[in-house]
Amino acid sequence: SRGVLQRTAALVGSSSKPRMNIKQAAYRCRSGGGGSDGHKTSTATETHSCENKRAFLRELANLGRVRLVKNDGVTVIEQVVTFQDVFFTTSKQNVQYANLCDENKNVDFHIYLDKLAGIRFEERQGRRGPWRLYYIHLLGTREEPNTVGNVVVDDDDGNNNNTFVSCSLMLLWDDGKPKGEYEPKQIKAWETLANKWDDAYDATTSPPRAILFS
């Protein structure tokens, strides 16, 4: 997949969302296809970019447990998930989604694939202990410049290209294990992803590089 992504800090995303019953569509598609609301499973006519995104999201299953963190600066939502059962749907209006739905674990998570523009790998020392933290940030861009008054300000990756972290995935150790005691295969899987999707990944790069889906 080298070359599937190009390195850049310019990413795409938006706060606008189509009006539709995503949860109903996701469960219906997972159980066997479209229904009267016009939702259907993804088809071969979808864009090359979304195919790359789906490939990446499927590979997240190799990480095992991750903590999904959504922080908009006012509220924080966290959920422990795996991507083992990620599945994909396309609406009648050709809006494409990645979905994690598990009613038993109260998981109901959706990604607008057209809005998912890039990713960023980050490895750093934990603030609450001596263990390392491993992140994958899902990225987008604002429709308007990030400004204070008439001044364009830096984004969270240190650039002024309107990028932002929409959601973060943090590698998580198994229940009952001491904090920071990952399974070796988890770290190996994270490193494999980082080196595959960012062909010049360097944990010392600050801020971490943004990778654009193409």
XYZ file of all heavy atoms in Angstrom, residues 103-202:
828
model
N -24.998 -4.235 19.895
C -25.968 -3.837 20.912
C -25.618 -4.403 22.280
O -25.900 -3.781 23.305
C -27.361 -4.305 20.486
C -27.910 -3.530 19.303
C -29.309 -3.958 18.927
O -29.558 -5.185 18.907
O -30.151 -3.078 18.672
N -24.987 -5.573 22.334
C -24.635 -6.176 23.618
C -23.581 -5.365 24.360
O -23.520 -5.387 25.596
C -24.121 -7.605 23.401
C -25.204 -8.536 22.887
O -26.377 -8.386 23.224
N -24.815 -9.484 22.052
N -22.730 -4.665 23.619
C -21.670 -3.857 24.234
C -21.942 -2.364 24.120
O -21.075 -1.551 24.422
C -20.331 -4.189 23.583
C -19.894 -5.638 23.789
C -18.556 -5.904 23.126
C -18.126 -7.353 23.339
N -16.829 -7.643 22.662
N -23.158 -2.017 23.688
C -23.551 -0.614 23.534
C -22.617 0.150 22.597
O -22.274 1.305 22.845
C -23.615 0.088 24.896
C -24.689 -0.476 25.783
O -25.807 -0.744 25.328
N -24.377 -0.684 27.050
N -22.196 -0.509 21.531
C -21.331 0.123 20.536
C -22.172 0.504 19.330
O -22.868 -0.335 18.758
C -20.186 -0.822 20.099
C -19.378 -0.188 18.963
C -19.282 -1.140 21.274
N -22.117 1.756 18.947
C -22.851 2.249 17.780
C -22.015 3.377 17.185
O -22.136 4.532 17.567
C -24.235 2.741 18.198
C -25.130 3.046 17.007
O -24.710 2.777 15.869
O -26.238 3.570 17.214
N -21.118 3.032 16.268
C -20.099 3.953 15.771
C -20.077 3.908 14.252
O -20.105 2.831 13.662
C -18.735 3.537 16.334
C -17.571 4.336 15.816
C -17.479 5.697 16.060
C -16.559 3.715 15.103
C -16.401 6.436 15.592
C -15.466 4.452 14.624
C -15.387 5.809 14.869
N -20.019 5.084 13.630
C -20.068 5.170 12.174
C -19.056 6.193 11.672
O -18.846 7.228 12.297
C -21.467 5.559 11.694
C -22.552 4.742 12.316
N -22.934 3.509 11.823
C -23.307 4.957 13.419
C -23.902 3.014 12.587
N -24.130 3.871 13.570
N -18.453 5.894 10.542
C -17.504 6.799 9.896
C -18.038 7.127 8.510
O -18.372 6.227 7.742
C -16.112 6.156 9.758
C -15.542 5.795 11.136
C -15.157 7.089 9.018
C -14.267 4.963 11.062
N -18.134 8.411 8.190
C -18.469 8.819 6.838
C -17.203 8.685 5.995
O -16.276 9.487 6.117
C -18.958 10.265 6.820
C -20.252 10.493 7.547
C -20.264 10.775 8.912
C -21.464 10.440 6.871
C -21.453 10.980 9.589
C -22.663 10.655 7.539
C -22.648 10.926 8.899
O -23.817 11.134 9.571
N -17.144 7.680 5.144
C -15.905 7.405 4.423
C -15.486 8.560 3.526
O -14.293 8.839 3.373
C -16.051 6.125 3.597
C -16.128 4.824 4.403
C -16.207 3.632 3.456
C -14.932 4.670 5.328
N -16.445 9.249 2.931
C -16.092 10.377 2.073
C -15.463 11.517 2.860
O -14.712 12.319 2.305
C -17.326 10.900 1.338
C -17.825 9.910 0.292
O -16.993 9.146 -0.226
O -19.037 9.904 0.010
N -15.753 11.597 4.147
C -15.207 12.661 4.994
C -13.895 12.266 5.654
O -13.156 13.119 6.137
C -16.216 13.033 6.088
C -17.589 13.411 5.586
C -17.579 14.711 4.824
C -18.994 15.145 4.455
N -19.016 16.419 3.728
N -13.621 10.964 5.718
C -12.359 10.496 6.296
C -11.253 10.758 5.288
O -11.164 10.100 4.260
C -12.447 9.003 6.620
C -11.162 8.339 7.110
C -10.689 8.970 8.425
C -11.367 6.842 7.263
N -10.393 11.734 5.606
C -9.408 12.166 4.623
C -8.022 11.630 4.885
O -7.240 11.497 3.965
C -9.347 13.690 4.587
N -7.696 11.311 6.107
C -6.342 10.862 6.380
C -6.193 10.291 7.768
O -7.152 10.213 8.544
N -4.969 9.920 8.089
C -4.635 9.308 9.372
C -3.304 9.850 9.852
O -2.527 10.416 9.083
C -4.563 7.765 9.257
C -3.630 7.368 8.110
C -5.946 7.171 9.083
C -3.480 5.869 7.926
N -3.064 9.673 11.123
C -1.793 10.104 11.703
C -1.420 9.124 12.803
O -2.228 8.838 13.698
C -1.933 11.514 12.273
C -0.615 12.207 12.528
C -0.823 13.674 12.813
N -1.310 13.914 14.162
C -2.086 14.928 14.505
N -2.500 15.782 13.594
N -2.459 15.096 15.747
N -0.232 8.579 12.743
C 0.262 7.659 13.760
C 1.065 8.450 14.785
O 1.882 9.292 14.429
C 1.143 6.579 13.134
C 0.391 5.652 12.223
C 0.253 5.941 10.871
C -0.185 4.493 12.729
C -0.451 5.089 10.036
C -0.885 3.635 11.899
C -1.017 3.938 10.549
N 0.835 8.137 16.053
C 1.561 8.840 17.123
C 1.925 7.847 18.228
O 1.080 7.115 18.717
C 0.714 9.968 17.709
C 1.426 10.728 18.805
C 0.569 11.805 19.451
O -0.643 11.887 19.112
O 1.091 12.543 20.296
N 3.180 7.867 18.606
C 3.683 7.051 19.714
C 4.352 7.989 20.703
O 5.206 8.790 20.335
C 4.694 6.035 19.190
C 5.351 5.186 20.249
C 6.427 4.280 19.677
O 6.514 4.176 18.436
O 7.170 3.687 20.481
N 3.949 7.917 21.964
C 4.544 8.817 22.951
C 4.477 8.220 24.349
O 3.776 7.239 24.580
C 3.847 10.178 22.939
C 2.370 10.150 23.298
C 1.803 11.559 23.338
N 0.367 11.612 23.508
C -0.261 11.492 24.680
N 0.428 11.280 25.794
N -1.581 11.566 24.739
N 5.208 8.840 25.231
C 5.218 8.406 26.610
C 3.915 8.785 27.297
O 3.380 9.878 27.076
C 6.390 9.050 27.362
C 6.709 8.427 28.708
C 7.213 7.004 28.573
O 7.831 6.651 27.569
N 6.943 6.171 29.565
N 3.366 7.875 28.109
C 2.149 8.185 28.845
C 2.385 9.236 29.909
O 3.476 9.317 30.482
N 1.358 10.035 30.174
C 1.478 11.091 31.183
C 1.199 10.571 32.590
O 1.563 11.210 33.571
C 0.506 12.229 30.869
C 0.786 12.943 29.557
C -0.074 14.191 29.423
N 0.197 14.911 28.191
C -0.501 14.780 27.070
N -1.526 13.933 27.038
N -0.198 15.473 25.992
N 0.558 9.409 32.694
C 0.160 8.891 34.000
C 0.930 7.646 34.400
O 0.535 6.954 35.333
C -1.345 8.606 34.008
C -2.186 9.837 33.749
C -3.670 9.515 33.823
N -4.498 10.683 33.577
C -5.829 10.679 33.563
N -6.466 9.531 33.782
N -6.499 11.783 33.346
N 2.003 7.355 33.700
C 2.782 6.175 34.039
C 3.934 5.996 33.075
O 4.072 6.732 32.095
N 4.775 4.994 33.303
C 5.987 4.797 32.504
C 5.769 4.018 31.213
O 6.734 3.593 30.588
C 6.882 4.011 33.471
C 5.919 3.204 34.284
C 4.693 4.075 34.456
N 4.533 3.816 30.817
C 4.269 3.017 29.631
C 4.137 3.896 28.384
O 3.874 5.092 28.469
C 3.006 2.189 29.812
C 1.798 2.985 30.217
C 0.943 3.682 29.407
C 1.318 3.180 31.552
N -0.043 4.289 30.138
C 0.169 3.995 31.465
C 1.741 2.724 32.810
C -0.548 4.380 32.589
C 1.017 3.109 33.921
C -0.115 3.925 33.802
N 4.321 3.282 27.237
C 4.167 3.958 25.960
C 2.702 3.924 25.523
O 1.962 2.986 25.829
C 5.015 3.274 24.876
C 6.495 3.244 25.154
C 7.121 4.611 25.053
N 7.213 5.092 23.663
C 7.626 6.315 23.351
N 7.951 7.191 24.303
N 7.704 6.677 22.073
N 2.286 4.959 24.819
C 0.944 5.035 24.256
C 1.052 5.019 22.741
O 1.935 5.662 22.151
C 0.225 6.304 24.709
C 0.016 6.454 26.220
C -0.663 7.782 26.522
C -0.790 5.299 26.781
N 0.133 4.303 22.099
C 0.145 4.142 20.646
C -1.205 4.594 20.099
O -2.234 3.996 20.412
C 0.405 2.684 20.273
C 1.718 2.150 20.790
C 1.825 1.628 22.084
C 2.864 2.167 19.990
C 3.035 1.140 22.566
C 4.076 1.676 20.460
C 4.150 1.159 21.748
O 5.351 0.683 22.220
N -1.184 5.650 19.295
C -2.407 6.237 18.759
C -2.460 6.123 17.243
O -1.439 6.165 16.552
C -2.486 7.729 19.092
C -2.769 8.065 20.529
C -1.724 8.292 21.424
C -4.077 8.185 20.991
C -1.973 8.624 22.744
C -4.330 8.519 22.316
C -3.282 8.731 23.188
O -3.528 9.056 24.487
N -3.693 6.027 16.741
C -3.977 6.297 15.335
C -5.099 7.332 15.321
O -6.182 7.093 15.858
C -4.415 5.040 14.571
C -3.312 3.978 14.607
C -4.761 5.396 13.121
C -3.711 2.654 13.973
N -4.808 8.489 14.752
C -5.792 9.567 14.685
C -6.458 9.563 13.313
O -5.786 9.460 12.282
C -5.121 10.921 14.911
C -4.357 11.027 16.195
N -4.980 11.033 17.431
C -3.021 11.108 16.441
C -4.062 11.130 18.382
N -2.869 11.168 17.805
N -7.787 9.649 13.306
C -8.555 9.774 12.077
C -8.791 11.259 11.831
O -9.277 11.968 12.719
C -9.887 9.035 12.198
C -9.801 7.561 12.646
C -11.191 6.922 12.639
C -8.834 6.761 11.786
N -8.463 11.716 10.628
C -8.360 13.146 10.367
C -9.371 13.655 9.351
O -9.824 12.924 8.483
C -6.956 13.477 9.864
C -5.801 13.075 10.778
C -4.486 13.307 10.052
C -5.827 13.817 12.092
N -9.666 14.937 9.467
C -10.494 15.641 8.497
C -10.033 17.085 8.404
O -9.058 17.472 9.042
N -10.709 17.885 7.599
C -10.411 19.308 7.535
C -11.678 20.111 7.730
O -12.780 19.658 7.433
C -9.784 19.729 6.191
O -10.659 19.342 5.139
C -8.415 19.119 6.000
N -11.497 21.309 8.195
C -12.613 22.238 8.341
C -12.962 22.822 6.986
O -12.098 22.992 6.129
C -12.225 23.355 9.311
C -11.826 22.854 10.683
C -11.297 24.004 11.548
N -10.894 23.495 12.855
C -9.686 23.029 13.134
N -8.755 23.017 12.192
N -9.397 22.579 14.330
N -14.225 23.176 6.824
C -14.641 23.803 5.577
C -14.145 25.236 5.504
O -13.908 25.767 4.425
C -16.163 23.767 5.454
C -16.716 22.364 5.236
C -18.209 22.367 5.030
O -18.847 23.408 5.331
O -18.746 21.349 4.572
N -13.988 25.867 6.669
C -13.495 27.239 6.729
C -12.170 27.268 7.473
O -11.908 26.414 8.321
C -14.517 28.138 7.443
C -15.875 28.190 6.768
C -15.813 28.824 5.392
O -14.898 29.657 5.175
O -16.663 28.497 4.549
N -11.305 28.237 7.187
C -10.027 28.334 7.901
C -10.224 28.461 9.402
O -11.218 29.021 9.879
C -9.396 29.607 7.308
C -10.048 29.781 5.975
C -11.458 29.263 6.149
N -9.270 27.935 10.162
C -9.286 28.036 11.610
C -8.683 29.382 11.994
O -7.471 29.589 11.910
C -8.475 26.884 12.212
C -8.577 26.828 13.712
O -9.545 27.310 14.288
N -7.578 26.238 14.347
N -9.516 30.327 12.368
C -9.044 31.690 12.598
C -9.445 32.208 13.964
O -10.419 31.755 14.575
C -9.605 32.656 11.535
O -11.041 32.654 11.617
C -9.182 32.238 10.134
N -8.663 33.160 14.432
C -9.012 33.989 15.584
C -8.973 35.420 15.081
O -7.905 35.949 14.754
C -8.035 33.788 16.758
C -8.375 34.755 17.882
C -8.085 32.351 17.249
N -10.143 36.061 14.984
C -10.197 37.357 14.323
C -9.882 37.176 12.844
O -10.501 36.367 12.164
N -8.883 37.887 12.358
C -8.481 37.767 10.965
C -7.202 36.954 10.802
O -6.619 36.913 9.719
C -8.266 39.157 10.360
C -9.558 39.947 10.284
O -10.611 39.386 9.998
N -9.483 41.244 10.549
N -6.753 36.296 11.872
C -5.496 35.564 11.858
C -5.765 34.073 11.739
O -6.525 33.496 12.527
C -4.664 35.855 13.131
C -3.362 35.069 13.109
C -4.399 37.353 13.257
N -5.152 33.432 10.743
C -5.247 31.980 10.608
C -4.298 31.351 11.617
O -3.113 31.671 11.658
C -4.871 31.523 9.184
C -4.911 30.001 9.088
C -5.825 32.142 8.161
N -4.812 30.456 12.451
C -4.014 29.879 13.532
C -3.646 28.443 13.191
O -4.266 27.793 12.346
C -4.766 29.926 14.875
C -5.059 31.362 15.265
C -6.051 29.124 14.816
N -2.616 27.939 13.865
C -2.153 26.574 13.628
C -3.192 25.567 14.074
O -3.901 25.766 15.064
C -0.844 26.310 14.386
C 0.344 26.981 13.732
O 0.169 27.524 12.629
O 1.428 26.969 14.334
N -3.245 24.453 13.342
C -4.120 23.355 13.711
C -3.401 22.437 14.682
O -2.248 22.657 15.050
C -4.550 22.587 12.462
C -5.398 23.461 11.551
O -6.487 23.861 11.976
O -4.939 23.755 10.431
N -4.082 21.355 15.085
C -3.516 20.497 16.117
C -2.333 19.673 15.637
O -1.688 19.002 16.427
C -4.590 19.580 16.727
C -5.339 18.784 15.677
O -4.802 18.626 14.563
O -6.437 18.324 15.979
N -2.010 19.714 14.334
C -0.815 19.037 13.872
C 0.325 20.019 13.596
O 1.328 19.675 12.996
C -1.097 18.206 12.616
C -1.532 19.065 11.439
O -1.690 20.291 11.636
O -1.691 18.530 10.337
N 0.137 21.273 14.038
C 1.185 22.261 13.890
C 1.177 22.992 12.567
O 2.067 23.790 12.292
N 0.186 22.782 11.742
C 0.083 23.438 10.447
C -1.146 24.330 10.412
O -2.009 24.267 11.284
C 0.002 22.397 9.321
C 1.236 21.527 9.267
O 2.285 21.957 8.809
N 1.119 20.306 9.757
N -1.232 25.159 9.381
C -2.403 26.035 9.260
C -3.208 25.665 8.025
O -3.608 26.503 7.240
C -1.993 27.502 9.215
C -1.078 27.804 8.039
O -0.736 26.903 7.290
N -0.708 29.060 7.885
N -3.447 24.364 7.866
C -4.155 23.866 6.686
C -5.543 23.330 7.024
O -6.078 22.524 6.287
C -3.326 22.778 6.002
C -2.868 21.727 7.003
O -3.534 21.511 8.003
N -1.745 21.102 6.740
N -6.100 23.773 8.149
C -7.472 23.432 8.547
C -7.661 21.983 8.979
O -8.780 21.496 9.007
C -8.464 23.748 7.418
C -8.466 25.203 7.046
O -8.174 26.060 7.879
N -8.760 25.501 5.800
N -6.598 21.274 9.300
C -6.758 19.886 9.711
C -7.215 19.788 11.156
O -6.974 20.677 11.969
C -5.448 19.104 9.538
O -4.438 19.674 10.358
C -4.997 19.117 8.091
N -7.862 18.685 11.472
C -8.253 18.405 12.849
C -8.366 16.902 13.058
O -8.516 16.139 12.109
C -9.576 19.089 13.214
C -10.774 18.496 12.512
C -11.568 17.540 13.141
C -11.118 18.908 11.229
C -12.668 16.997 12.510
C -12.223 18.367 10.583
C -12.997 17.416 11.218
N -8.257 16.482 14.313
C -8.454 15.083 14.677
C -9.935 14.870 14.932
O -10.509 15.448 15.854
C -7.633 14.704 15.927
C -7.972 13.293 16.386
C -6.140 14.832 15.636
N -10.563 14.049 14.102
C -11.975 13.756 14.296
C -12.181 12.725 15.397
O -13.116 12.821 16.194
C -12.574 13.245 12.989
O -13.918 12.859 13.179
N -11.296 11.739 15.449
C -11.412 10.659 16.418
C -10.043 10.011 16.578
O -9.238 10.015 15.639
C -12.428 9.638 15.921
S -12.735 8.266 17.046
N -9.768 9.479 17.752
C -8.492 8.815 18.002
C -8.722 7.392 18.475
O -9.672 7.107 19.206
C -7.686 9.574 19.066
O -7.355 10.870 18.621
N -7.838 6.502 18.054
C -7.838 5.113 18.499
C -6.555 4.883 19.284
O -5.461 5.100 18.767
C -7.893 4.162 17.306
C -9.016 4.401 16.299
C -8.869 3.466 15.114
C -10.375 4.235 16.959
N -6.686 4.449 20.520
C -5.525 4.213 21.373
C -5.409 2.722 21.663
O -6.372 2.087 22.103
C -5.660 4.972 22.698
C -4.432 4.886 23.586
S -4.660 5.726 25.173
C -5.637 4.508 26.069
N -4.249 2.155 21.390
C -4.015 0.744 21.676
C -4.281 0.475 23.151
O -3.897 1.266 24.019
C -2.567 0.394 21.332
C -2.254 -1.079 21.056
C -3.014 -1.573 19.836
C -0.754 -1.259 20.841
N -4.955 -0.633 23.455
C -5.381 -0.902 24.829
C -5.014 -2.318 25.230
O -5.222 -3.267 24.483
C -6.899 -0.711 24.931
C -7.513 -0.698 26.327
C -6.964 0.467 27.141
C -9.028 -0.595 26.244
N -4.440 -2.445 26.401
C -4.072 -3.745 26.944
C -5.321 -4.509 27.384
O -6.403 -3.943 27.550
C -3.120 -3.576 28.131
C -3.574 -2.508 29.080
C -4.418 -2.630 30.147
C -3.231 -1.111 29.024
N -4.620 -1.419 30.759
C -3.900 -0.473 30.094
C -2.424 -0.348 28.176
C -3.769 0.903 30.330
C -2.304 1.010 28.415
C -2.970 1.616 29.481
N -5.190 -5.796 27.587
C -6.328 -6.632 27.952
C -6.802 -6.354 29.372
O -6.031 -5.910 30.227
C -5.965 -8.114 27.829
C -5.848 -8.570 26.388
O -6.439 -7.908 25.512
O -5.171 -9.586 26.143
N -8.079 -6.632 29.611
C -8.646 -6.506 30.958
C -7.859 -7.357 31.940
O -7.474 -8.493 31.643
C -10.113 -6.981 30.960
C -11.058 -5.859 30.584
O -10.700 -4.685 30.744
O -12.168 -6.167 30.101
N -7.623 -6.813 33.140
C -6.949 -7.570 34.181
C -5.442 -7.468 34.144
O -4.778 -7.886 35.101
N -4.897 -6.917 33.080
C -3.446 -6.773 32.988
C -3.017 -5.411 33.523
O -3.778 -4.444 33.485
C -2.984 -6.943 31.541
C -3.077 -8.376 31.046
C -2.102 -8.610 29.908
C -2.013 -10.092 29.600
N -1.003 -10.372 28.553
N -1.783 -5.320 34.030
C -1.294 -4.014 34.493
C -1.320 -2.994 33.357
O -1.185 -3.345 32.183
C 0.144 -4.319 34.938
C 0.158 -5.784 35.217
C -0.809 -6.399 34.249
N -1.477 -1.736 33.720
C -1.521 -0.684 32.709
C -0.238 -0.688 31.893
O 0.856 -0.778 32.432
C -1.719 0.679 33.378
C -3.092 0.851 34.006
C -3.258 2.231 34.603
C -4.658 2.411 35.180
N -4.855 3.756 35.760
N -0.412 -0.588 30.591
C 0.737 -0.539 29.705
C 1.297 -1.887 29.315
O 2.240 -1.950 28.526
N 0.723 -2.983 29.818
C 1.241 -4.317 29.489
C 0.476 -4.858 28.282
O -0.458 -5.643 28.402
C 1.108 -5.257 30.679
C 1.858 -6.579 30.492
C 1.868 -7.430 31.749
O 2.272 -6.905 32.814
O 1.469 -8.608 31.663
N 0.910 -4.429 27.104
C 0.288 -4.876 25.868
C 0.756 -6.288 25.519
O 1.820 -6.728 25.953
C 0.677 -3.949 24.710
C 0.415 -2.494 24.932
C 1.434 -1.647 25.365
C -0.830 -1.939 24.698
C 1.209 -0.290 25.553
C -1.066 -0.587 24.883
C -0.042 0.234 25.318
O -0.270 1.572 25.506
N -0.033 -6.959 24.713
C 0.441 -8.193 24.102
C 1.469 -7.825 23.034
O 1.269 -6.855 22.288
C -0.717 -8.951 23.456
C -1.718 -9.524 24.438
C -1.136 -10.664 25.252
O -0.182 -11.312 24.763
O -1.625 -10.898 26.364
N 2.573 -8.556 22.930
C 3.577 -8.239 21.900
C 2.990 -8.153 20.502
O 3.405 -7.316 19.695
C 4.570 -9.394 22.025
C 4.462 -9.830 23.450
C 3.005 -9.658 23.808
N 1.996 -8.993 20.210
C 1.404 -8.976 18.873
C 0.642 -7.682 18.615
O 0.493 -7.265 17.456
C 0.488 -10.179 18.675
C -0.725 -10.213 19.591
C -1.569 -11.469 19.340
C -2.790 -11.512 20.250
N -3.604 -12.737 20.026
N 0.143 -7.021 19.678
C -0.546 -5.746 19.496
C 0.423 -4.670 19.030
O 0.144 -3.918 18.094
C -1.215 -5.305 20.797
C -2.429 -6.097 21.212
C -3.035 -5.530 22.484
O -2.507 -5.731 23.577
N -4.123 -4.796 22.339
N 1.557 -4.572 19.715
C 2.554 -3.567 19.334
C 3.085 -3.852 17.938
O 3.268 -2.942 17.130
C 3.700 -3.525 20.367
C 3.141 -3.111 21.734
C 4.806 -2.582 19.912
C 4.171 -3.111 22.837
N 3.310 -5.138 17.644
C 3.777 -5.512 16.321
C 2.768 -5.109 15.261
O 3.134 -4.590 14.188
C 4.021 -7.022 16.270
C 4.466 -7.532 14.911
C 5.808 -6.977 14.507
C 6.291 -7.592 13.204
N 7.574 -6.993 12.744
N 1.495 -5.322 15.540
C 0.449 -4.959 14.578
C 0.413 -3.451 14.365
O 0.260 -2.974 13.228
C -0.908 -5.461 15.066
N 0.543 -2.673 15.447
C 0.547 -1.212 15.327
C 1.742 -0.744 14.499
O 1.609 0.098 13.605
C 0.569 -0.578 16.717
C 0.349 0.906 16.707
C -0.835 1.561 16.854
C 1.352 1.923 16.523
N -0.637 2.915 16.777
C 0.686 3.166 16.575
C 2.726 1.896 16.325
C 1.361 4.376 16.435
C 3.410 3.097 16.181
C 2.738 4.311 16.239
N 2.910 -1.277 14.786
C 4.117 -0.892 14.051
C 4.014 -1.284 12.580
O 4.472 -0.545 11.702
C 5.345 -1.531 14.694
C 5.668 -0.959 16.080
C 6.808 -1.689 16.759
O 7.110 -2.838 16.339
O 7.390 -1.125 17.708
N 3.408 -2.439 12.309
C 3.227 -2.875 10.933
C 2.332 -1.905 10.175
O 2.618 -1.525 9.032
C 2.620 -4.292 10.893
O 3.541 -5.207 11.510
C 2.352 -4.735 9.468
N 1.240 -1.481 10.813
C 0.353 -0.508 10.184
C 1.066 0.816 9.935
O 0.952 1.413 8.860
C -0.878 -0.274 11.062
C -1.986 -1.322 11.021
C -3.006 -1.039 12.106
C -2.656 -1.343 9.665
N 1.806 1.289 10.945
C 2.500 2.573 10.817
C 3.487 2.551 9.665
O 3.563 3.505 8.868
C 3.203 2.919 12.128
N 4.234 1.483 9.537
C 5.247 1.401 8.492
C 4.662 1.117 7.119
O 5.266 1.448 6.100
C 6.286 0.338 8.854
C 7.205 0.799 9.972
O 7.966 1.746 9.829
N 7.122 0.130 11.111
N 3.485 0.497 7.099
C 2.835 0.208 5.817
C 2.190 1.455 5.230
O 2.350 1.746 4.035
C 1.783 -0.895 5.997
C 1.005 -1.195 4.727
C 0.011 -2.331 4.932
C -0.763 -2.623 3.652
N -1.715 -3.746 3.830
N 1.461 2.188 6.058
C 0.693 3.314 5.546
C 1.478 4.619 5.547
O 1.102 5.571 4.861
C -0.605 3.451 6.332
C -1.518 2.279 6.095
C -1.572 1.110 6.808
C -2.464 2.139 5.048
N -2.496 0.260 6.278
C -3.073 0.863 5.190
C -2.879 2.961 3.997
C -4.058 0.403 4.325
C -3.860 2.491 3.140
C -4.441 1.227 3.309
N 2.531 4.685 6.317
C 3.444 5.839 6.296
C 4.835 5.281 6.020
O 5.504 4.790 6.925
C 3.399 6.571 7.629
C 4.302 7.796 7.653
O 5.077 7.981 6.690
O 4.251 8.549 8.636
N 5.271 5.331 4.779
C 6.500 4.634 4.394
C 7.770 5.284 4.922
O 8.868 4.786 4.678
C 6.581 4.461 2.872
C 6.545 5.787 2.136
O 6.603 6.844 2.790
O 6.459 5.762 0.892
N 7.614 6.384 5.661
C 8.773 7.001 6.300
C 8.460 7.298 7.766
O 8.905 8.298 8.324
C 9.183 8.278 5.568
N 7.672 6.410 8.385
C 7.268 6.650 9.768
C 8.473 6.742 10.693
O 9.412 5.946 10.611
C 6.342 5.541 10.272
C 6.016 5.698 11.742
C 5.160 6.711 12.158
C 6.609 4.885 12.707
C 4.883 6.902 13.500
C 6.331 5.065 14.044
C 5.469 6.077 14.439
O 5.220 6.266 15.772
N 8.425 7.731 11.569
C 9.488 7.952 12.554
C 8.817 8.422 13.836
O 8.191 9.485 13.863
C 10.481 8.995 12.052
C 11.664 9.191 12.999
O 11.592 8.725 14.158
O 12.648 9.829 12.588
